[in-house]
Amino acid sequence: MNIPKILERQQAFFKTGQTKDIAYRKECLVRFRESIKKHEQHIIDALTAGFKKPPFETVATEISIVHQELNLAIKEVYKWSQPKKVKASLLNFPSSDYIYYEPYGTTLIIAPWNYPFQLAVGPIIGAIVAGNTAVLKPSELTPKTSELLAKIISEVFDPGHITVVQGDKEIAQQLLAQRWDYIFFTGSVPVGKIVYKAAAEHLTPVTLELGGKSPCIIDETAKIQQAARRIVWGKFVNAGQTCIAPDYILVHSSKKKELLTALDIEITRAYGADPKVSPDFARIINEKNFERLSELLDGASVFKGGNTDKADLYIAPTILENVTLQDAVMQEEIFGPILPVLTFDSKQDIENVLTSFEKPLSAYVFSRKRSFKNWFNNAFSYGGGVMNDTLIHFINDRLPFGGVGHSGVGSYHGAQSFYTFSHAKSVVKRGTWLDVPVRYAPYKGKLSILKRFTKWL
């Protein structure tokens, strides 16, 4: 595969100026939406083949979110693309000041395996609506979905506009060795650092959507049964292979027993007495991840679940108790259906746990006490989160989605996707009918005038 030739083709297409035409962008987005509708069952089948993802989850967490993003982009592409007039500075009088949004150029999008359709198509929509060309590198761990993405994109787009490059990490390394105008990466923190380093070689701007140990705090005022139901959904959807899933629970010690009982009830309610035969519970993506997760269970105090089947890549929805910060399960992002439960008695206990990790991608608080929720929100930095639920901040396209610190750089979704893939170019249009001479040398006698004038700014 000749990666430099592919990049050269994308650059040549961008230079034609076609992607800067807003009508062309909208036309492409409409065709993209229609092709996705046509292939909906194929998308469902591909994800079922990948890791037995339930069709309901595929529609709810992949296809419907993509349609939401597409519908908004099609509706707003003209509005977003217009120059924005801003208030001019008195120092530049007379002038009119504007922000122009221009595409970066040729972009690289590297997508992950856990939501292989939605997390590939979402950034593509941003690249298109902003007027860029793009090369998509989907995950090799979900080959059926990657092949389908290549088919859909080839049906809709000129190969110079959007194209798919399939392959393993060697292909990814070849892509990262090229000079792109923008790189958008979704994946793990360690690989994100590799991408960031490669981008720095050419001072290429990036968006990094990463992860971390997202906490779930439950205080003594929370509605425990409701909290348990919402946590079970947020944790075990996609078999826990979600970057914003609750990674661990911190529950007030007075509510631990009640919570554990409620989690037991809600897991059985969702997946039955034997989740392995449930059609609503996905599998681990591959043997490597299965082994990693299984090792986290070695010696752990299992309250519920813990069953595994390597042949089926199955790990039951699992709750761990009597967990300490020194346990293996607390040393890394879990990214699987294992949920440790720790306790706290004071705000200081919460602070001690959260500050032992890097800033997380998400955080969740279950409480009916406004002062506690406000304290948490002001005390800790995290990418985004929810009070009294999990995951749902991802759904609102009016909220930018992204991390902070080690959990990510930049954000996207909705209008923010357009701004992420656009350079905001500032332009001052200066009038010629007046030219105040105070700024020009010689400056003798002008300093006092300048000081008086700046008091009014």
Side-chain angles (χ1 to χ4, degrees):
M1 185 176 296
N2 194 327
I3 301 297
K5 283 290 184 182
I6 292 172
L7 175 57
E8 186 179 317
R9 182 185 64 195
Q10 306 300 116
Q11 292 170 333
F13 191 87
F14 181 74
K15 287 178 181 178
T16 66
Q18 198 165 353
T19 65
K20 293 185 177 181
D21 178 47
I22 301 173
Y24 177 76
R25 299 182 206 176
K26 184 172 183 177
E27 177 191 340
C28 288
L29 291 167
V30 170
R31 291 204 311 267
F32 200 17
R33 180 176 63 185
E34 295 310 305
S35 183
I36 289 170
K37 286 179 180 177
K38 182 178 73 173
H39 287 286
E40 180 171 310
Q41 188 57 50
H42 297 140
I43 297 166
I44 292 170
D45 293 343
L47 285 162
T48 300
F51 44 105
K52 293 187 179 179
K53 184 159 186 168
F56 181 90
E57 289 187 9
T58 295
V59 174
T61 66
E62 307 244 16
I63 297 172
S64 66
I65 291 176
V66 164
H67 279 306
Q68 178 179 301
E69 289 283 326
L70 275 168
N71 290 338
L72 182 66
I74 290 165
K75 178 183 176 183
E76 302 290 352
V77 59
Y78 281 98
K79 178 182 175 182
W80 293 341
S81 303
Q82 297 309 304
K84 305 295 189 296
K85 188 173 183 179
V86 300
K87 186 178 180 180
S89 170
L90 282 174
L91 291 173
N92 292 332
F93 182 83
S95 73
S96 299
D97 295 12
Y98 298 86
I99 300 172
Y100 287 82
Y101 296 101
E102 63 180 17
Y104 279 104
T106 300
T107 64
L108 172 63
I109 297 167
I110 302 177
W113 55 263
N114 60 324
Y115 290 85
F117 183 75
Q118 183 244 120
L119 293 181
V121 175
I124 289 174
I125 295 169
I128 295 166
V129 76
N132 300 278
T133 64
V135 170
L136 169 66
K137 163 62 176 71
S139 175
E140 68 275 15
L141 300 185
T142 49
K144 295 290 186 183
T145 305
S146 297
E147 291 166 9
L148 183 57
L149 280 166
K151 179 179 179 180
I152 293 172
I153 286 172
S154 67
E155 288 177 358
V156 176
F157 300 99
D158 185 292
H161 186 191
I162 311 292
T163 196
V164 175
V165 173
Q166 299 184 68
D168 57 15
K169 68 177 183 179
E170 288 188 9
I171 294 297
Q173 289 169 350
Q174 291 178 42
L175 287 165
L176 288 170
Q178 310 304 310
R179 181 172 181 172
W180 303 89
D181 296 308
Y182 201 92
I183 297 175
F184 191 108
F185 170 80
T186 306
S188 68
V189 174
V191 180
K193 291 179 180 180
I194 294 170
V195 173
Y196 212 177
K197 185 175 181 180
E201 185 69 24
H202 301 294
L203 297 179
T204 301
V206 300
T207 293
L208 303 176
E209 295 292 343
L210 308 176
K213 294 191 75 65
S214 297
C216 183
I217 316 300
I218 305 172
D219 79 355
E220 67 276 18
T221 71
K223 291 185 175 182
I224 297 299
Q225 198 68 44
Q226 183 186 78
R229 190 172 199 182
R230 293 177 177 182
I231 291 166
V232 165
W233 171 75
K235 176 62 180 182
F236 299 115
V237 68
N238 210 42
Q241 298 165 120
T242 303
C243 60
I244 55 173
D247 192 88
Y248 61 96
I249 288 176
L250 261 178
V251 61
H252 193 274
S253 58
S254 66
K255 295 293 181 178
K256 176 188 173 183
K257 184 176 180 180
E258 183 181 354
L259 175 68
L260 289 173
T261 300
L263 289 170
D264 187 353
I265 292 169
E266 294 301 335
I267 289 172
T268 302
R269 179 181 291 175
Y271 304 111
D274 183 4
K276 187 178 180 183
V277 299
S278 170
D280 302 320
F281 189 68
R283 295 300 186 260
I284 307 306
I285 184 64
N286 61 13
E287 192 172 300
K288 179 181 177 182
N289 279 271
F290 176 89
E291 295 287 359
R292 178 184 64 82
L293 290 165
S294 296
E295 288 174 6
L296 297 181
L297 297 175
D298 291 344
S301 178
V302 176
F303 171 78
K304 184 175 179 64
N307 311 87
T308 66
D309 183 348
K310 186 174 181 179
D312 193 30
L313 296 178
Y314 166 77
I315 296 179
T318 299
I319 306 295
L320 302 182
E321 61 175 336
N322 303 321
V323 178
T324 71
L325 291 181
Q326 288 69 47
D327 291 345
V329 76
M330 297 302 292
Q331 303 308 307
E332 60 181 22
E333 182 180 3
I334 296 169
F335 221 72
I338 302 169
L339 184 58
V341 177
L342 297 85
T343 61
F344 73 91
D345 290 300
S346 67
K347 290 178 179 178
Q348 187 61 54
D349 292 339
I350 296 173
E351 187 172 344
N352 290 343
V353 173
L354 265 65
T355 56
S356 66
F357 303 112
E358 297 287 349
K359 297 174 183 178
L361 181 57
S362 296
Y364 307 106
V365 173
F366 287 84
S367 174
R368 286 185 282 178
K369 191 186 297 183
R370 180 181 297 178
S371 60
F372 181 81
K373 291 181 284 188
N374 288 341
W375 166 79
F376 183 89
N377 199 41
N378 292 327
F380 302 104
S381 178
Y382 52 94
V386 189
M387 303 293 169
N388 293 312
D389 209 337
T390 61
L391 308 193
I392 60 172
H393 59 302
F394 188 90
I395 297 168
N396 188 349
D397 57 28
R398 288 174 287 277
L399 291 173
F401 176 82
V404 58
H406 278 226
S407 60
V409 176
S411 59
Y412 73 124
H413 282 187
Q416 188 60 41
S417 292
F418 171 82
Y419 297 124
T420 289
F421 280 95
S422 299
H423 166 60
K425 182 166 64 178
S426 302
V427 177
V428 175
K429 297 182 179 180
R430 188 74 195 280
T432 59
W433 57 272
L434 178 67
D435 197 15
V436 179
V438 70
R439 70 171 178 171
Y440 301 116
Y443 302 126
K444 185 178 180 181
K446 296 179 180 178
L447 183 58
S448 60
I449 298 173
L450 177 63
K451 287 181 176 180
R452 286 199 300 272
F453 182 73
T454 54
K455 287 181 181 179
W456 294 96
L457 298 179

